[in-house]
Amino acid sequence: MSTQTHRLTISRITDCEHCAVLRISGELDQSCEEYFLGTLASIVDAGRRHVVLDVTALVFCDSRGLNCLLAIRWLLKRRDGRIILAGAGRRLSELLALTGSTELLPVRRTVGLALLELPEAERPVWPPEPDPDDK
């Protein structure tokens, strides 16, 4: 699964019953917030309690983008779940630190390290197995 707007792409890396690992690429700002929130909300509505976002390819995130991340955190927390960011760059890390959001939106260096934060029974196989349809 990969969906996008003109400035933001959300791609599924892997998932399981309880957790989705997604790659977020491009820019997360006001122009993409409805798309981002709708896409993530549908994943949560499908039963995922945990979301790991690989943000290594996220080149821009402003306060509206941060609000989107916090909204998904709130939604997951209501389901006893978590959101964890993986691979945040300098700008996103600074935004999180300046706004006091680092405890609310934990950042790990890699997706593998982020998945280790979740209960073993609730995380997908990592690294993901190749999709046979991609051959």
Side-chain angles (χ1 to χ4, degrees):
M1 171 200 95
S2 180
T3 57
Q4 70 180 35
T5 66
H6 67 288
R7 295 172 57 191
L8 183 72
T9 303
I10 301 172
S11 306
R12 182 185 67 83
I13 298 174
T14 189
D15 63 3
C16 67
E17 180 182 356
H18 300 285
C19 178
V21 179
L22 308 169
R23 178 170 294 119
I24 309 299
S25 308
E27 301 177 12
L28 182 54
D29 58 16
Q30 178 182 359
S31 69
C32 305
E33 69 183 329
E34 186 176 324
Y35 162 71
F36 179 83
L37 291 172
T39 302
L40 273 284
S42 68
I43 289 167
V44 175
D45 286 345
R48 305 313 186 281
R49 292 180 39 233
H50 307 293
V51 174
V52 173
L53 296 179
D54 177 350
V55 294
T56 54
L58 186 66
V59 296
F60 180 78
C61 181
D62 64 5
S63 61
R64 295 293 284 262
L66 176 60
N67 284 336
C68 289
L69 295 171
L70 292 169
I72 296 301
R73 178 200 176 267
W74 176 84
L75 187 61
L76 291 167
K77 187 168 176 61
R78 292 188 56 170
R79 291 169 166 78
D80 295 321
R82 299 183 63 191
I83 182 173
I84 304 172
L85 307 179
R90 181 183 57 83
R91 289 183 183 185
L92 180 56
S93 296
E94 287 175 356
L95 177 64
L96 295 172
L98 287 170
T99 59
S101 302
T102 52
E103 288 186 30
L104 300 173
L105 297 167
V107 177
R108 300 298 174 258
R109 199 170 34 101
T110 66
V111 170
L113 291 173
L115 287 170
L116 290 176
E117 300 282 320
L118 303 175
E120 186 173 358
E122 297 182 12
R123 60 185 185 226
V125 173
W126 190 260
E129 298 176 9
D131 188 344
D133 294 335
D134 288 343
K135 291 183 181 182

